[in-house]
Amino acid sequence: MEEELQLLTREARSALESVADGEGLESLRVSYLGRKGRITALIRSVGALPAEDRPRMGQAANRLKKELELEFEKAEGRLREAAERRKTSREAVDVTLPGLALSRGRRHPITATLEEVIDIFSGLGFALESGPEIETEYYNFDALNMPADHPARDMQDTLYLEDGRVLRTHTSPVQIRTMEKTEPPLRMICAGKAFRADTADASHSPMFHQLEGLMVDRVVSLADLKGVLTVFARRLFGEETRLRFRPSFFPFTEPSAEVDISCVVCSGTGCSLCSRRGWLEILGAGMVDPEVFRAVGYDPEEWTGFAFGMGIERIAMLKHGIDDIRLFYDNDLRFLHQF
Ligand code: DAH
């Protein structure tokens, strides 16, 4: 019996050493110390020994049982610690690793340019208005002194909807909408998309952005228009910028002008950007035509005004030296990340 005791002890110890998890440990405990376990059976068999051997063997068996119980407790502790260590190493953070840079969004160059231009005119007292991108022919053309069948309508290649409405070809209809709901005097700007049946190339896009301006008061003159546009151009392109008015034609202004700025690259001496002219066209403008005032119920004998409209893509291209309008719409991040 003594031998059996020793054997059991050795067996149990080596089994305990190789046990890998709580479940294995529990089944070991059952097989040695459980009610039908081998140690339990051994202790029970002490009763069958000759009376003189019983006390010694009984003590030995009980000692072994106590020892094993202790070993089991230790093994349990070891397993728990190991599990704990595995968990911490899984969750460990190496604070010396370089951080992951968050890629932040940024404003599209068209949005940024629009906001800059709006800012300048807001500072000059112009209120920001808006209007629909799908317009009626009345607002897009008729009220702006471009009646049906008038050749002036052909100036803009229009995208028509089946119900006869149009994708606005310019932001000028917002002038009409604003005057209809406002008593003069007024100063307004409006910015947004315009659409034309143009094939895309380096300088054309069927969708583009415009900024429109209108000022109405009792004695507004061409000098006021020139003053406002000069302040605008200098704020946007630099204080040395010069302005040039060239006579032109728009149905809704009389007189009308195309307005140029001195070249942003050569300042007027002539370079490839300005085709050696020294000047860059940036907008159309003029004094509001009396017909437009009549269309909105303003008395043209009492009210005078100026208006202007510019392409935002063109302004952004000049500001940043961009040579192809299509770059704005390609969503190529290599381009967009430069602004
Ligand atoms: N609407 C014109 C265009 O898209 C631009 C323009 C010219 C607007 C003269 C105006 C203006 O307000 O007075 O070509």
Side-chain angles (χ1 to χ4, degrees):
M1 177 153 186
E2 216 155 333
E3 245 168 57
E4 212 184 325
L5 263 175
Q6 240 124 60
L7 189 73
L8 263 179
T9 317
R10 250 181 283 130
E11 256 187 56
R13 289 216 168 110
S14 83
L16 271 176
E17 265 168 33
S18 57
V19 76
D21 53 25
E23 238 172 79
L25 187 71
E26 193 46 37
S27 73
L28 268 188
R29 192 197 306 276
V30 171
S31 77
Y32 285 97
L33 299 169
R35 268 194 303 128
K36 292 179 182 158
R38 292 160 71 186
I39 302 280
T40 319
L42 198 71
I43 289 171
R44 235 178 249 140
S45 69
V46 169
L49 292 175
E52 69 266 29
D53 290 337
R54 271 185 233 156
R56 197 169 49 85
M57 291 312 291
Q59 273 170 13
N62 272 316
R63 207 182 315 120
L64 175 64
K65 187 182 171 200
K66 287 243 163 65
E67 265 175 38
L68 272 186
E69 277 170 353
L70 215 72
E71 297 282 336
F72 268 96
E73 252 168 58
K74 281 192 198 151
E76 206 177 345
R78 267 202 317 276
L79 285 176
R80 209 181 310 118
E81 270 172 35
E84 202 57 36
R85 264 198 307 278
R86 274 198 303 276
K87 186 163 170 252
T88 12
S89 79
R90 235 190 349 262
E91 289 171 359
V93 176
D94 183 349
V95 293
T96 65
L97 283 175
L100 292 178
L102 280 184
S103 119
R104 285 175 71 205
R106 62 187 74 208
R107 289 177 308 168
H108 190 280
I110 293 299
T111 309
T113 306
L114 264 178
E115 285 176 5
E116 200 178 341
V117 172
I118 289 170
D119 233 40
I120 295 173
F121 284 108
S122 300
L124 294 170
F126 286 75
L128 186 60
E129 299 284 347
S130 66
E133 290 172 3
I134 298 176
E135 265 297 4
T136 61
E137 285 194 279
Y138 176 75
Y139 284 108
N140 196 80
F141 295 123
D142 300 77
L144 288 160
N145 197 28
M146 299 160 96
D149 306 324
H150 190 284
R153 279 220 190 175
D154 295 340
M155 288 167 71
Q156 300 171 355
D157 295 320
T158 312
L159 294 160
Y160 285 88
L161 272 64
E162 274 171 10
D163 63 7
R165 288 184 299 165
V166 299
L167 297 187
R168 69 178 180 197
T169 56
H170 49 181
T171 44
S172 303
V174 185
Q175 287 186 29
I176 305 297
R177 290 183 176 274
T178 306
M179 285 191 280
E180 278 185 349
K181 63 170 195 188
T182 317
E183 287 296 319
L186 67 89
R187 266 175 292 180
M188 58 83 58
I189 49 168
C190 124
K193 292 184 170 63
F195 307 84
R196 292 189 197 171
D198 277 334
T199 305
D201 62 24
S203 55
H204 293 84
S205 161
M207 186 281 298
F208 57 101
H209 297 78
Q210 284 193 333
L211 182 122
E212 189 85 16
L214 170 72
M215 172 169 175
V216 181
D217 211 326
R218 285 182 204 279
V219 275
V220 177
S221 74
L222 202 61
D224 298 310
L225 172 61
K226 211 166 175 183
V228 164
L229 291 180
T230 303
V231 168
F232 158 72
R234 292 192 173 158
R235 294 248 167 98
L236 195 64
F237 293 106
E239 285 305 315
E240 323 70 42
T241 310
R242 285 165 294 126
L243 243 61
R244 179 174 82 167
F245 280 54
R246 275 181 294 116
S248 184
F249 172 79
F250 296 104
F252 29 89
T253 44
E254 181 61 34
S256 304
E258 308 263 13
V259 179
D260 301 340
I261 54 167
S262 48
C263 180
V264 291
V265 169
C266 67
S267 307
T269 53
C271 68
S272 61
L273 178 66
C274 57
S275 311
R276 320 258 156 242
R277 291 191 195 102
W279 297 95
L280 299 163
E281 185 189 321
I282 58 159
L283 55 86
M287 303 309 293
V288 178
D289 193 291
E291 281 306 311
V292 174
F293 281 148
R294 270 185 211 109
V296 297
Y298 286 9
D299 178 359
E301 297 300 323
E302 190 178 353
W303 300 104
T304 48
F306 66 69
F308 56 87
M310 67 187 82
I312 292 300
E313 278 79 352
R314 170 120 179 109
I315 303 279
M317 288 166 85
L318 292 177
K319 246 187 104 68
H320 300 293
I322 298 163
D323 60 5
D324 194 322
I325 195 173
R326 290 168 292 194
L327 287 166
F328 290 123
Y329 319 116
D330 287 344
N331 279 337
D332 185 335
L333 293 180
R334 290 170 304 178
F335 171 76
L336 295 173
H337 276 173
Q338 295 176 54
F339 305 96

